[in-house]
Amino acid sequence: MSEPVLSVGVLISGSGSNLQALIDRIADGSVPARIALVISNRADAFGLQRARLAGIPTRVIDHREFPDRVSFDRTMIAALQESGVELVCLAGFMRVLTADFIRAFEGRLLNIHPALLPAFPGLHVQQRAIDAGARFSGATVHFVTEEVDAGPIVIQAVVPILDHDDAQTLAARILKQEHRIYPLAVLWFAQGRLQIVRQRVQIRETIEAPDAYLLNPSAPDTY
Ligand code: GRF
């Protein structure tokens, strides 16, 4: 018998490169999942074309056509439930979700954020990390809770901030790592290895690296 396949819904607003990474890792057999539905709140999101090309059902649910967030979110909840979605992945979805939505998918709702949370929640985070003089930034996959960008963290990838970086060069460096860690988080979820214990996510059968460290700029081993 083949492995059970997790049914995933993905919410996007734009380019959808994280959606693409997930499509690719599912296609090459790395992640035992299928994307049952992609929802975009924007009809012109490039990610919709990526989904269509992969034969994935899409829906455009334009938030501007709803009187309030609650009715917009209810329409998305219904669409996701009708598709039998077990996990919802936010992948560059630029709307804040209501408590209704978050409760409907509690413990089954992931987001990716282009900074090392809890530092730099919110918007324009690459520029803010540069302006703050941080030596590192990165990407965070986390469960979504009602406080924006504050849910339990599944995995983070760290990248250096270089002297000549601007928001675009840093975003590109971070995005490369996003494409690795988001599919990995979905894989772990699909395998039932993630358990939220208070604010911390415990991941069964992962290898911890107690001596791991990074220096930026780098320094000789003698220090
Ligand atoms: C990514 O940087 C993600 O971390 C943030 O929005 C961006 C989406 O990029 N939430 P894409 O649409 O997946 O290319």
Side-chain angles (χ1 to χ4, degrees):
M1 229 177 70
S2 55
E3 259 185 292
V5 160
L6 180 81
S7 184
V8 181
V10 183
L11 269 50
I12 61 168
S13 299
S15 156
S17 70
N18 279 287
L19 165 67
Q20 188 67 56
L22 198 53
I23 291 171
D24 293 345
R25 300 318 297 260
I26 290 172
D28 72 14
S30 309
V31 179
R34 78 184 179 97
I35 302 176
L37 182 63
V38 169
I39 297 178
S40 173
N41 65 312
R42 298 182 53 124
D44 62 352
F46 182 64
L48 286 170
Q49 293 186 42
R50 299 180 191 266
R52 289 181 193 126
L53 208 62
I56 297 167
T58 60
R59 288 257 325 247
V60 174
I61 303 179
D62 186 337
H63 60 279
R64 293 168 305 186
E65 290 169 7
F66 294 83
D68 50 31
R69 283 184 198 277
V70 171
S71 52
F72 170 60
D73 278 14
R74 284 204 180 131
T75 304
M76 290 199 297
I77 295 170
L80 291 162
Q81 286 174 344
E82 276 161 30
S83 301
V85 159
E86 299 160 281
L87 170 71
V88 176
C89 292
L90 308 180
F93 183 67
M94 298 305 287
R95 307 294 304 168
V96 172
L97 295 166
T98 57
D100 272 1
F101 188 101
I102 291 163
R103 278 188 218 125
F105 296 101
E106 201 180 350
R108 308 186 290 135
L109 181 54
L110 292 174
N111 181 43
I112 187 149
H113 181 78
L116 292 176
L117 293 173
F120 306 112
L123 296 174
H124 312 299
V125 293
Q126 296 90 349
Q127 190 60 53
R128 284 164 50 209
I130 292 169
D131 292 346
R135 290 279 172 190
F136 289 101
S137 187
T140 302
V141 178
H142 64 96
F143 283 99
V144 176
T145 53
E146 284 181 40
E147 194 184 335
V148 175
D149 296 331
I153 292 170
V154 178
I155 182 171
Q156 295 185 304
V158 178
V159 303
I161 298 178
L162 307 179
D163 282 348
H164 299 295
D165 269 332
D166 56 29
Q168 283 72 33
T169 57
L170 177 57
R173 193 174 305 120
I174 293 171
L175 205 53
K176 231 170 127 177
Q177 298 306 317
E178 294 186 33
H179 299 160
R180 297 180 58 202
I181 64 173
Y182 212 176
L184 189 54
V186 174
L187 170 66
W188 289 338
F189 186 94
Q191 293 173 327
R193 286 164 63 184
L194 304 182
Q195 196 188 353
I196 304 172
V197 182
R198 287 176 294 279
Q199 179 66 13
R200 198 169 178 86
V201 179
Q202 293 187 347
I203 309 167
R204 279 188 277 279
E205 292 162 51
T206 41
I207 301 161
E208 291 193 298
D211 297 324
Y213 68 91
L214 287 168
L215 301 178
N216 180 37
S218 70
D221 285 345
T222 43
Y223 287 90

